[in-house]
Amino acid sequence: MITAPGAAAIAYLNACRERAGQPPRLVVEGRLNRVVGLTLEAVGVQAAIGSRCRVLGTDATELETEVVGFAGDRLFLMPIGDLQGIAPNAAVVPTGHCAQAPVGECLLGRVIDGAGRPLDGRGPLHNRTWAPLNGRPIQPLARAPIREPLDVGVRAINGLLTVGRGQRMGLFAGSGVGKSVLLGMMTRYTTAEVVVVGLIGERGREVKEFIDTILGEAGLARAVVVAAPADSTPLMRLQGALLCTAIAEHFRDQGRQVLLLMDSLTRYAQAQRELALAIGEPPATKGYPPSVFAKLPHLVERAGNGERGGGSITAFYTVLAEGDDQNDPIADAARAILDGHVVLSRRIAETGHYPAIDIEASISRALPEITSRAQQAEILRFRQWFSAYQQNRDLIAIGAYQPGTDPRIDEAIRMHPGLLDFLRQSMHEPVDLATSLSQLHTITEGGS
């Protein structure tokens, strides 16, 4: 049943439209019919999927929601904030617009939440403009190819897994193996002009620790941090990932080189799973509905190079391997849509070796296009020495290998200390791209 709009609801909506520079209009007010978990069902109102509605609760309580589905005359809404104060038959008023992303120079050095509101206590965002939260797709053939390397300040990545401007990389890791520290190193030491960090679904304690300890004042100065911690609603976590991507797109369209670090892609997928299951989508692969695997490439493909002559977004997405299982469905899907992956190993981290990069399991798919043949040959020699030692590590450790049995293994044993020194790096020690390549050349030239 469609009811007449309440005067208060109409006045509120028209005030919102007036602030947005739009003419007032009359809309039909619906009613909240049912709340199941975090899903709200409204009747008597029509709105498009992705648009926003206001639920008017008791004591002037207002809850912003997003339309995530419908069935017959029922509209499914997902809240942005807390449901407290929402009563049965609460008025539901469509706002007539979709979510927007605040963008602009005023965001640099700031920390905001998934809705674009400041979290750092430094006042409102002045002189901001607005962009579509879901971005503007770039025609695939119009994108500039990946041809230039990006210096991330980490020797092992610069030298052995060289990343190109516009490349999308995965950072695969379990918990407690140093991924946050590695992200902080890249944030501080990269040559990218702008850094956008998305902390999606992480513990609230880790947000402040990352900003104060790992990122630091110098790193924050040219960065934008979007934080949607674990206690946020699923929709807020999803919106946080979309927001940091939209901000990166804005700076890319200005011709800048942007480094986008999102921690984590897994939490984004889990938020979409919560939303999809709440509105009745059946689970498919290990509890994940099909929409999760459709949303992942939609998000990731927004990063990368812009049109020829423009800027770029080089992106690192962390992927949490549950139980260090690299065949987790999200990890497997991410590996297929990304341009390479860096694997952090718990076994390596437990030996005190940081960053704990498993160089044998890691790969950069753009490396042949952005490195010289000489560097590729040096990388191949490095990998061969490292792999030969790892394959015979147990025999070497117990003294069962007799020197002189295999010249290849003898050389790997001789080179191994230097290889480990190359892979190790203190979190306070930046190593630029030129130095990384020079040190790689020195090591490989030392072989026979």
Side-chain angles (χ1 to χ4, degrees), residues 203-287:
R203 293 186 292 271
R205 177 188 64 81
E206 290 186 337
V207 174
K208 183 170 180 57
E209 181 180 320
F210 181 88
I211 294 170
D212 293 345
T213 306
I214 299 177
L215 184 58
E217 186 176 346
L220 183 61
R222 57 169 173 166
V224 182
V225 179
V226 179
D231 60 346
S232 303
T233 63
L235 192 58
M236 183 66 83
R237 280 174 269 148
L238 286 174
Q239 185 170 313
L242 297 175
L243 175 58
C244 61
T245 305
I247 294 171
E249 287 175 324
H250 168 76
F251 288 112
R252 177 187 64 188
D253 292 344
Q254 292 183 335
R256 303 198 195 183
Q257 307 302 322
V258 182
L259 178 63
L260 171 63
L261 305 174
M262 187 178 296
D263 185 15
S264 71
L265 193 65
T266 303
R267 303 300 188 206
Y268 170 81
Q270 290 173 347
Q272 175 60 28
R273 176 176 64 180
E274 292 175 39
L275 189 151
L277 293 177
I279 63 175
E281 185 179 353
T285 306
K286 291 189 177 181

Side-chain angles (χ1 to χ4, degrees), residues 148-163:
E148 297 181 26
L150 176 71
D151 186 352
V152 296
V154 180
R155 180 168 48 221
I157 297 178
N158 279 342
L160 302 174
L161 302 168
T162 310
V163 176

Side-chain angles (χ1 to χ4, degrees), residues 37-62:
L38 290 177
T39 307
L40 288 69
E41 291 185 11
V43 295
V45 64
Q46 293 183 354
I49 290 179
S51 64
R52 294 297 176 92
C53 292
R54 292 278 183 176
V55 179
L56 309 182
T58 58
D59 300 327
T61 301
E62 298 175 359

Side-chain angles (χ1 to χ4, degrees), residues 6-269:
I10 295 173
Y12 173 79
L13 178 63
N14 285 337
C16 292
R17 295 182 62 82
E18 183 179 355
R19 286 196 298 269
Q22 300 173 343
R25 70 176 183 179
L26 196 66
V27 297
V28 175
E29 173 191 317
R31 293 293 172 181
L32 194 62
N33 183 47
R34 187 170 68 154
V35 177
V36 180
L38 290 177
T39 307
L40 288 69
E41 291 185 11
V43 295
V45 64
Q46 293 183 354
I49 290 179
S51 64
R52 294 297 176 92
C53 292
R54 292 278 183 176
V55 179
L56 309 182
T58 58
D59 300 327
T61 301
E62 298 175 359
L63 175 66
E64 187 173 6
T65 63
E66 182 172 311
V67 181
V68 295
F70 58 83
D73 62 345
R74 294 178 299 158
L75 208 60
F76 299 141
L77 310 173
M78 190 65 68
I80 300 294
D82 192 0
L83 289 174
Q84 187 172 354
I86 301 302
N89 294 316
V92 178
V93 183
T95 64
H97 63 78
C98 296
Q100 297 283 304
V103 296
E105 296 292 325
C106 61
L107 292 175
L108 292 175
R110 301 300 301 270
V111 182
I112 59 178
D113 67 5
R117 298 171 298 210
L119 292 175
D120 50 15
R122 295 172 51 192
L125 301 173
H126 298 290
N127 301 320
R128 68 185 186 277
T129 56
W130 298 91
L133 191 64
N134 287 307
R136 176 181 61 86
I138 299 178
Q139 208 269 356
L141 296 182
R143 284 185 183 268
I146 300 173
R147 291 292 182 268
E148 297 181 26
L150 176 71
D151 186 352
V152 296
V154 180
R155 180 168 48 221
I157 297 178
N158 279 342
L160 302 174
L161 302 168
T162 310
V163 176
R165 292 181 179 177
Q167 189 170 352
R168 287 80 54 94
M169 293 285 287
L171 188 59
F172 290 71
S175 58
V177 295
K179 63 178 175 57
S180 295
V181 174
L182 182 58
L183 291 177
M185 290 173 65
M186 289 191 286
T187 303
R188 295 194 304 272
Y189 304 144
T190 182
T191 57
E193 299 169 77
V194 176
V195 180
V196 181
V197 181
L199 302 176
I200 310 301
E202 296 300 311
R203 293 186 292 271
R205 177 188 64 81
E206 290 186 337
V207 174
K208 183 170 180 57
E209 181 180 320
F210 181 88
I211 294 170
D212 293 345
T213 306
I214 299 177
L215 184 58
E217 186 176 346
L220 183 61
R222 57 169 173 166
V224 182
V225 179
V226 179
D231 60 346
S232 303
T233 63
L235 192 58
M236 183 66 83
R237 280 174 269 148
L238 286 174
Q239 185 170 313
L242 297 175
L243 175 58
C244 61
T245 305
I247 294 171
E249 287 175 324
H250 168 76
F251 288 112
R252 177 187 64 188
D253 292 344
Q254 292 183 335
R256 303 198 195 183
Q257 307 302 322
V258 182
L259 178 63
L260 171 63
L261 305 174
M262 187 178 296
D263 185 15
S264 71
L265 193 65
T266 303
R267 303 300 188 206
Y268 170 81

Side-chain angles (χ1 to χ4, degrees), residues 428-445:
H428 304 292
E429 173 197 3
V431 182
D432 61 30
L433 181 62
T435 303
S436 301
L437 297 183
S438 174
Q439 292 177 354
L440 175 64
H441 177 74
T442 301
I443 290 176
T444 54
E445 283 297 303

